[in-house]
Amino acid sequence: MVNLGREGKLRLSSSHTTEYATSLELDFFSPIRWTDNQFFLLDQTLLPQEETWIHCTDLEIVCDAIKRLAVRGAPAIGVAAAYGLAVAVGNSGPESFDAAYQTLMATRPTAVNLRWALDLGRDLEQEMPAKDLHAGLIAWAQKLHVEDAETNRRIGEHGKELFAQADRVLTHCNAGALATAGFGTAVGVVQAAFEAGRLGSVWVDETRPLLQGARLTTWELKRLGIPHQLVTDSSVGALMSRSLVDRCVVGSDRIAANGDVANKIGTYTAAVMAHRHGVPFYVAAPLSTIDRSTPTGNDIPIEERASAEVSMIAGKDMTPSGTEALNIAFDVTPAELVTAIITEQGVLRAPYEESIAAAFARAAA
Amino acid sequence: MVNLGREGKLRLSSSHTTEYATSLELDFFSPIRWTDNQFFLLDQTLLPQEETWIHCTDLEIVCDAIKRLAVRGAPAIGVAAAYGLAVAVGNSGPESFDAAYQTLMATRPTAVNLRWALDLGRDLEQEMPAKDLHAGLIAWAQKLHVEDAETNRRIGEHGKELFAQADRVLTHCNAGALATAGFGTAVGVVQAAFEAGRLGSVWVDETRPLLQGARLTTWELKRLGIPHQLVTDSSVGALMSRSLVDRCVVGSDRIAANGDVANKIGTYTAAVMAHRHGVPFYVAAPLSTIDRSTPTGNDIPIEERASAEVSMIAGKDMTPSGTEALNIAFDVTPAELVTAIITEQGVLRAPYEESIAAAFARAAA
């Protein structure tokens, strides 16, 4: 279903089509919808209090949703950007493609799936007749949407094999269905392990500043009926020193060629604590999150976001007036701390250059 | 000014007096006030938005203030408990002493300064005539109040010697004037280093769940004119991997005989990260925080607090209904990760059993 495109990057099959569904029917939960030829995103900033869908009628709405994290998570951003290209070309014609590509690319720097999806869209744009481009982009975005969920299902199948009975697993941020087109990466593994009877409960750390753990992962686990308990981010050490964590599993925004992992701020700290306490630390991610053109974690651009995301909570300023916060959105976990990377092409282990190359080769076969 | 009492514990001089000030005038900021023979505590739960003083007219108000963290920080709790004994005996007579002692002791389990102060109060109660007890307790509480601030001033003087020019120092939670009778322990060291021209700026981590860093340490540093920037708790690793932290200094709620340190949850994680990155990790605390009757950190009782402190922020429930949080209030940092313990009797280093014994001997000399 996938192969290697120009520059050896992972891409979808180039058998482009203009046939798409007016309404894409899915048998799984997705934060992304295509209904009556309209594009909708679940506004994750309002969860868990409100389930509001954003009607993405133009490119600006899509970009705004990505920037303010109404849609977030590397795979979900990729699929949202694909639909965003379709919406832009539908509104403004094929000649608007390049501007839409650039505008979407500039929304967020760290998650490589955004660039991956946009580059696939550009390949398509260069191959298809202009008259077919709008339909082609919709069909392609739908394919990306369905295939991402299928990819995550396969990540879950591979990942569950790493779990033992009644495991207590810690996850950071949200790498669930909400962060993807469906199923999720880390939460997909948790779900598969739970369904296989290999999971006892989940420690959800709240993930300041935007509380993706407290707001989103809890919401998903509740829907899935998986036992869980919330903790502050700084509880990781205390939990591990009490031997209350058997494994960690997190998602990723970008994995470098050497296996270094960029993910939500705090991931590195959790990985160091896991290493100290002998707790396996897994990263669950599709191959589309692995950026072989980025040699190491030092080369991954790390987004810094607004100070007010830290100093204000629930609309209230918690700090004295004038307090400035440094809001680093991601950190880099060196490959040496990663026990395994769980992909749709199996469980990869160090040395990662080799296991990653082999996984890409399997995908292309 | 101090000596060793029964069981070799640190205690104030036993030269008890009944002479006290109707209004205790202080030349430093204190979150504790004795004015017109009335006892007041600054309500730290309302900072930084409001400066409201709680008029502690009875024991119940004092205990409630301690339990809900209106007054917090090991040294401040000790002094507040001392005044609490005086208030109880003033209201209900000398025969109420034992009940007041027990009630105050039950408020919070981890900070040993509470027990230390209450035991000193009990010594006094057993030595003084009942008719003098009320006046004696007030005089003693005032002495404890002033001496704690003086102790912290000395901690700062010793601690500043560890700093170099333009150091960027990270502190966790609040170990400032608000956490003590005055000056603070960790923030006292920061202030002394700043005044000596040896400090560039302070990284304040917010310290979830109750945001003592974001609300209180920022408030103090702003008052002191010390440059600072707020970060989330999970930023510690990213800051250190960018070489943005030169030193860490934190307070403590209880230090075991072997040098293991109980402090606000997240301290252990910060210490592990500091160790990994070669950043010195200092604990600033008075000898009254060192509990030589507790052999190791494993023997320190660790408070767990209400789930809602994690799941609710600024009065708003951030999580899906029914979400349970495990709210461990403190963790234990093993002595091996502590570069030095800064006390009023100098800077202690490993092996801590020996350096702690020597410091107590100096205090008793």
Side-chain angles (χ1 to χ4, degrees), chain B residues 72-360:
Chain B
R72 26 68 52 202
I77 293 172
V79 176
Y83 282 117
L85 289 175
V87 167
V89 167
N91 285 346
S92 309
E95 62 279 15
S96 69
F97 182 90
D98 282 348
Y101 172 98
Q102 296 295 344
T103 307
L104 282 160
M105 189 73 93
T107 51
R108 297 196 69 195
T110 302
V112 75
N113 307 58
L114 176 67
R115 192 186 74 200
W116 173 78
L118 290 171
D119 283 351
L120 287 175
R122 193 175 52 187
D123 289 350
L124 180 146
E125 187 258 347
Q126 287 170 359
E127 290 165 17
M128 285 195 109
K131 69 175 176 51
D132 293 338
L133 185 59
H134 183 219
L137 285 169
I138 298 172
W140 161 74
Q142 291 184 344
K143 188 173 173 189
L144 212 63
H145 192 166
V146 173
E147 288 188 356
D148 179 66
E150 175 55 26
T151 292
N152 295 334
R153 210 186 314 236
R154 291 165 66 196
I155 289 172
E157 291 304 306
H158 290 298
K160 77 179 183 195
E161 300 300 329
L162 299 168
F163 285 65
Q165 200 180 5
D167 268 355
R168 297 153 302 177
V169 60
L170 182 135
T171 190
H172 182 60
C173 197
N174 171 267
L178 289 167
T180 63
F183 294 103
T185 52
V187 174
V189 169
V190 162
Q191 181 181 355
F194 180 71
E195 290 169 355
R198 297 179 174 191
L199 187 134
S201 61
V202 182
W203 295 112
V204 179
D205 69 19
E206 59 177 2
T207 315
R208 284 278 295 145
L210 295 178
L211 299 169
Q212 290 94 338
R215 297 188 301 106
L216 307 179
T217 301
T218 54
W219 185 81
E220 293 202 35
L221 293 175
K222 186 179 177 185
R223 283 171 69 109
L224 295 168
I226 299 176
H228 59 281
Q229 221 172 340
L230 183 67
V231 290
T232 59
D233 301 325
S234 66
S235 298
V236 174
L239 291 180
M240 290 186 181
S241 65
R242 294 177 181 202
S243 302
L244 294 174
V245 183
D246 298 307
R247 277 151 234 285
C248 300
V249 58
V250 299
S252 174
D253 293 83
R254 187 183 307 207
I255 298 172
N258 71 341
D260 291 350
V261 172
N263 191 44
K264 179 58 55 194
I265 187 89
T267 302
Y268 170 48
T269 303
V272 169
M273 299 311 291
H275 185 73
R276 178 176 170 92
H277 289 279
V279 174
F281 192 88
Y282 305 129
V283 176
L287 294 191
S288 57
T289 296
I290 301 177
D291 178 13
R292 298 173 77 194
S293 70
T294 295
T296 75
N298 291 332
D299 306 302
I300 299 175
I302 300 295
E303 181 178 10
E304 293 182 10
R305 296 181 57 86
S307 170
E309 286 186 349
V310 177
S311 59
M312 298 188 70
I313 308 182
K316 185 175 173 186
D317 198 338
M318 306 304 290
T319 62
S321 65
T323 301
E324 283 295 319
L326 177 63
N327 184 6
I328 307 170
F330 303 94
D331 59 24
V332 174
T333 300
E336 73 194 65
L337 299 176
V338 177
T339 309
I341 300 173
I342 308 167
T343 76
E344 71 273 30
Q345 288 293 338
V347 175
L348 316 187
R349 295 185 186 267
Y352 286 109
E353 286 86 348
E354 293 171 25
S355 58
I356 287 171
F360 273 75

Side-chain angles (χ1 to χ4, degrees), chain A residues 48-49 206 208 214-215 218 222 229-230 242 268-269 276-277 304 313 317-318 320-321 324-326, chain B residues 48-49 206 208 214-215 218 222 229-230 242 268-269 276-277 304 313 317-321 324-326:
Chain A
Q49 285 84 8
E206 59 177 4
R208 283 280 294 148
R215 295 188 302 106
T218 53
K222 186 179 176 186
Q229 220 171 342
L230 184 67
R242 295 177 180 200
Y268 170 47
T269 304
R276 178 175 169 93
H277 289 278
E304 293 181 10
I313 308 183
D317 198 340
M318 306 303 290
S321 65
E324 281 295 319
L326 178 62
Chain B
Q49 286 83 8
E206 59 177 2
R208 284 278 295 145
R215 297 188 301 106
T218 54
K222 186 179 177 185
Q229 221 172 340
L230 183 67
R242 294 177 181 202
Y268 170 48
T269 303
R276 178 176 170 92
H277 289 279
E304 293 182 10
I313 308 182
D317 198 338
M318 306 304 290
T319 62
S321 65
E324 283 295 319
L326 177 63

Side-chain angles (χ1 to χ4, degrees), chain A residues 5-316:
Chain A
R6 288 194 304 268
E7 303 155 31
K9 286 187 294 191
L10 187 76
R11 46 173 299 192
L12 295 174
S13 159
S14 62
S15 59
H16 295 309
T17 171
T18 56
E19 289 176 26
Y20 62 84
T22 305
S23 295
L24 187 67
E25 304 288 347
L26 303 170
D27 61 355
F28 53 86
F29 169 77
S30 178
I32 300 168
R33 282 186 189 163
W34 185 268
T35 304
D36 293 334
N37 278 339
Q38 303 292 312
F39 173 38
F40 297 89
L41 290 170
L42 180 58
D43 188 346
Q44 301 186 27
T45 66
L46 302 177
L47 288 176
Q49 285 84 8
E50 287 179 40
E51 275 184 51
T52 301
W53 290 81
I54 301 164
H55 188 178
C56 298
T57 52
D58 63 31
L59 181 66
E60 194 181 341
I61 295 174
V62 177
C63 290
D64 179 64
I66 295 173
K67 283 183 196 166
R68 67 186 183 82
L69 278 52
V71 59
R72 25 66 55 200
I77 292 171
V79 175
Y83 281 117
L85 289 175
V87 167
V89 167
N91 285 347
S92 310
E95 63 279 14
S96 68
F97 182 91
D98 282 349
Y101 171 99
Q102 296 295 344
T103 307
L104 283 160
M105 189 73 91
T107 50
R108 297 195 70 196
T110 303
V112 75
N113 307 60
L114 175 67
R115 191 186 76 198
W116 173 79
L118 290 171
D119 283 351
L120 287 175
R122 192 175 53 186
D123 289 350
L124 179 146
E125 187 257 349
Q126 287 170 359
E127 290 166 17
M128 284 197 111
K131 70 174 176 52
D132 293 339
L133 185 59
H134 183 220
L137 284 169
I138 298 172
W140 161 73
Q142 291 184 343
K143 189 174 172 186
L144 213 62
H145 192 166
V146 172
E147 288 187 356
D148 179 66
E150 175 55 26
T151 292
N152 295 335
R153 211 187 313 237
R154 290 165 65 194
I155 289 172
E157 291 303 306
H158 290 298
K160 76 178 184 194
E161 301 299 329
L162 298 168
F163 285 66
Q165 200 181 5
D167 268 354
R168 296 153 303 177
V169 60
L170 181 135
T171 190
H172 183 60
C173 196
N174 173 266
L178 288 167
T180 64
F183 295 105
T185 52
V187 174
V189 169
V190 162
Q191 181 181 356
F194 180 70
E195 290 170 355
R198 296 178 174 192
L199 188 134
S201 60
V202 182
W203 295 111
V204 178
D205 68 19
E206 59 177 4
T207 316
R208 283 280 294 148
L210 295 177
L211 299 169
Q212 291 92 337
R215 295 188 302 106
L216 307 180
T217 301
T218 53
W219 186 80
E220 293 202 34
L221 293 174
K222 186 179 176 186
R223 283 171 68 108
L224 295 168
I226 299 175
H228 59 281
Q229 220 171 342
L230 184 67
V231 289
T232 59
D233 301 325
S234 67
S235 299
V236 173
L239 291 180
M240 289 185 182
S241 65
R242 295 177 180 200
S243 301
L244 293 174
V245 182
D246 298 307
R247 273 150 239 284
C248 300
V249 58
V250 300
S252 174
D253 294 84
R254 189 185 305 208
I255 298 172
N258 71 341
D260 290 350
V261 172
N263 191 44
K264 180 56 55 195
I265 188 90
T267 301
Y268 170 47
T269 304
V272 169
M273 300 311 291
H275 185 73
R276 178 175 169 93
H277 289 278
V279 174
F281 192 87
Y282 305 129
V283 175
L287 294 191
S288 57
T289 296
I290 302 177
D291 178 13
R292 298 175 77 195
S293 70
T294 295
T296 75
N298 291 332
D299 307 303
I300 299 175
I302 300 294
E303 181 178 11
E304 293 181 10
R305 294 180 59 86
S307 169
E309 286 185 351
V310 177
S311 58
M312 299 188 69
I313 308 183
K316 186 176 174 187

